[in-house]
Amino acid sequence: MRRPLVAGNWKMNLTLAEARALAQGVASKAASFGNAEVGVIPAFVHVAAVGEAIKGSNVALGAQDAYWEKNGAFTGEISTAMLVDLGVKYVLVGHSERRHVLGETSAICNKKVHAILNVPSLSCIYCIGEKLEERQANKTFDVCRSQLVDGLAGVDKAKAERLVIAYEPVWAIGTGLNATKEQAQEAHAFIRGELAKIFDAATAASIRIQYGGSVKASNAAELMSQPDVDGALVGGASLKADEFAGIIAAAAAAKR
Ligand code: PEP
């Protein structure tokens, strides 16, 4: 059984004091849900403080991005070694806001995926998903396939145990419109099939595929009940410890 992973993407939100308090709140609540893995993904400038706040808890530390070069003249960028130094375990790549607001392509994502998976202590959460017009034009599978094929090109299957896929339909992110459980399961099953072609069936069966897009405590149970949904990547609802805890509880209960 794949262990569900529920990760909170805090995006560009919270003051330092708020980030510390939220991290402490999540750490105290997460202690009761042993079979779900929990992560928090603060803004870069809060990663160190949040790492301190969750020390000794069962909450893992994440980062929202990483650059692929090891060091050098890349103003504003953050290397994987800097993240490792701070105790980061999970690194997001290709979040829809990076793709569609900041112009990141799957080719850029591919460099980041390699840089992250080349560090044995890091796991990569690679985000994919279609825009509304793509779903309406029946292109959901094509978009997901090309984001997987291009973003994961050249990844060694031995490293895929540290790969997590987040399926996040862009039309569901931050909109309050979540995919139905049937839409989520259909996309996740398709993604697992594509992972089997890229790696092999056993590897695909072991890779966790999170659903993301307006997950809340009130809709988490039905989404998490789907066989190929292995947890959630949560934006807005991860900014409230109680709401986030409700999602963790739903994932833990569904995958017991
Ligand atoms: C996200 O940012 O990854 C996300 C899924 O956001 P929200 O939960 O707010 O839709």
Side-chain angles (χ1 to χ4, degrees):
M1 163 88 78
R2 295 176 294 270
R3 191 175 175 206
L5 171 63
V6 179
N9 173 16
W10 295 355
K11 311 191 185 190
M12 196 177 74
N13 288 304
L14 307 172
T15 64
L16 179 58
E18 288 166 345
R20 275 201 186 104
L22 178 58
Q24 282 158 356
V26 171
S28 69
K29 289 177 195 302
S32 25
F33 308 115
N35 58 328
E37 209 174 324
V38 180
V40 289
I41 312 178
F44 281 136
V45 289
H46 297 156
V47 169
V50 167
E52 283 299 317
I54 60 175
K55 205 172 245 170
S57 77
N58 59 355
V59 177
L61 188 60
Q64 296 177 17
D65 192 26
Y67 197 61
W68 59 85
E69 295 288 355
K70 286 197 162 55
N71 59 271
F74 304 102
T75 301
E77 296 295 341
I78 303 287
S79 72
T80 54
M82 292 169 182
L83 299 176
V84 170
D85 246 2
L86 300 181
V88 164
K89 177 170 181 195
Y90 291 101
V91 187
L92 293 183
V93 171
H95 188 274
S96 87
E97 288 138 25
R98 295 209 61 84
R99 289 182 190 269
H100 303 299
V101 181
L102 300 163
E104 198 158 292
T105 62
S106 291
I108 290 174
C109 293
N110 183 246
K111 295 184 191 197
K112 295 182 175 185
V113 170
H114 278 280
I116 292 159
L117 294 180
N118 281 340
V119 180
S121 65
L122 291 179
S123 292
C124 175
I125 300 178
Y126 179 53
C127 307
I128 64 168
E130 80 288 358
K131 295 193 275 191
L132 181 60
E133 59 268 31
E134 292 165 337
R135 176 162 281 267
Q136 287 169 338
N138 276 326
K139 290 188 177 152
T140 297
F141 288 173
D142 292 342
V143 170
C144 290
R145 182 189 296 112
S146 76
Q147 289 175 340
L148 288 170
V149 168
D150 297 346
L152 301 179
V155 171
D156 181 351
K157 76 176 172 198
K159 291 179 181 160
E161 62 180 16
R162 290 182 287 108
L163 176 67
V164 176
I165 304 296
Y167 169 64
E168 300 202 298
V170 179
W171 49 271
I173 298 182
T175 58
L177 280 179
N178 61 283
T180 63
K181 62 184 193 313
E182 293 82 9
Q183 287 171 323
Q185 172 57 26
E186 180 189 46
H188 283 226
F190 172 79
I191 290 164
R192 204 173 299 288
E194 292 303 303
L195 291 172
K197 291 182 202 159
I198 293 169
F199 301 112
D200 58 37
T203 304
S206 71
I207 294 176
R208 291 176 292 182
I209 307 174
Q210 298 175 298
Y211 169 77
S214 297
V215 179
K216 308 182 266 289
S218 58
N219 62 16
E222 64 171 29
L223 288 161
M224 297 303 122
S225 70
Q226 299 305 296
D228 285 291
V229 176
D230 308 315
L233 182 57
V234 187
S238 71
L239 296 172
K240 294 186 192 110
D242 283 337
E243 185 73 17
F244 190 53
I247 298 169
I248 302 166
K255 310 293 175 184
R256 210 183 292 279

